[in-house]
Amino acid sequence: MRQNPSFTLADVTEIRRVVDANPWANIVSAGEDGLVASHYVVLLDDSRDDLTVVGHVGRPDDLIHGMGDRELLVIFQGPHGYVSPGWYGDVQAVPTWNYTAVHLSGVPEILSDEENLEVLDRLVQRFEERMPDPRLMWERPNDPAFVQRLAAGTVGFRLTPTRVVAKRKLSQNKPAETIEAVISALSEDGPYANRELAAEMRRAQDARTGAQR
């Protein structure tokens, strides 16, 4: 991802927030047959306060990606959406697409079977906790043999990135009144209404104006 100083996201706390809020990731590597991409949920390593992430792939995706031997690129995509030039007012303008993205690169560590089970357990808890009647991994009707059998078909990994590229392109290069107009348009009803993107722009704009005070 090409970086632009106007849109650089360098704050680790903010990058962690984006990763945590958008765990459905693209995993990309360059293998013998060319580029390959997979799609899995990847979480922050809750034992660390940096950008280390943990996840799993199903077999044989571990072999396809050369897991543990080759560099992986893990991509997280935050809120994104279309921005109409009509929202800028009566000025020369073209359409654009606002977005937040985080790229983490490095050679992952393969987890032990026990560590992989812990990550799978945490993964289930992360998403089931919002259900009215959560079905956790080790609870009936599952039994240990069932869980172990399914876990054996996965390979867990931990990635401590050696390269981080994070970008928050949210109209920061526009005047404050234009940013407010875009936020307002995204927050209203319409073909390109996008309240998640509007909230992300509001967050970035408030941080920017606070830093300028």
Side-chain angles (χ1 to χ4, degrees):
M1 177 168 60
R2 179 179 62 84
Q3 192 54 279
N4 181 319
S6 298
F7 305 133
T8 298
L9 176 58
D11 183 87
V12 171
T13 300
E14 274 296 285
I15 296 174
R16 283 175 57 88
R17 182 188 65 82
V18 173
V19 169
D20 185 61
N22 303 278
W24 183 244
N26 299 326
I27 298 175
V28 183
S29 66
E32 295 177 358
D33 298 324
L35 292 174
V36 61
S38 297
H39 310 272
Y40 287 95
V41 174
V42 179
L43 303 177
L44 290 167
D45 186 337
D46 59 1
S47 69
R48 308 273 292 269
D49 58 5
D50 57 8
L51 294 174
T52 298
V53 293
V54 292
H56 75 280
V57 297
R59 300 180 190 273
D61 282 3
D62 59 318
L63 301 179
I64 293 171
H65 284 288
M67 194 73 69
D69 297 320
R70 294 203 302 263
E71 183 180 48
L72 290 186
L73 169 62
V74 183
I75 302 171
F76 299 88
Q77 178 72 66
H80 61 92
Y82 180 76
V83 174
S84 168
W87 298 343
Y88 295 161
D90 189 20
V91 297
Q92 292 182 328
V94 295
T96 192
W97 203 274
N98 278 1
Y99 64 91
T100 300
V102 174
H103 292 189
L104 306 180
S105 303
V107 178
E109 163 197 357
I110 302 300
L111 299 181
S112 67
D113 291 345
E114 183 178 275
E115 290 173 317
N116 184 37
L117 276 171
E118 290 175 358
V119 170
L120 293 172
D121 190 24
R122 183 182 161 217
L123 189 67
V124 174
Q125 290 186 42
R126 163 71 185 268
F127 295 100
E128 275 296 306
E129 67 184 4
R130 298 175 62 182
M131 299 295 290
D133 186 18
R135 282 279 301 271
L136 301 181
M137 191 168 75
W138 295 101
E139 294 182 355
R140 292 182 60 84
N142 295 352
D143 60 30
F146 172 79
V147 172
Q148 295 281 358
R149 185 169 65 253
L150 289 184
T154 70
V155 175
F157 68 89
R158 176 181 292 108
L159 175 68
T160 300
T162 53
R163 279 190 300 139
V164 177
V165 181
K167 191 171 184 178
R168 183 159 57 184
K169 179 184 174 295
L170 301 173
S171 302
Q172 301 98 310
N173 58 335
K174 300 294 183 182
E177 58 270 21
T178 301
I179 295 173
E180 293 298 332
V182 173
I183 292 173
S184 177
L186 290 169
S187 302
E188 296 170 355
D189 294 332
Y192 295 107
N194 191 329
R195 289 172 177 79
E196 288 187 356
L197 180 57
E200 197 75 6
M201 289 187 64
R202 168 59 60 209
R203 183 183 185 89
Q205 179 65 355
D206 288 349
R208 180 185 177 201
T209 55
Q212 291 175 344
R213 291 192 185 107

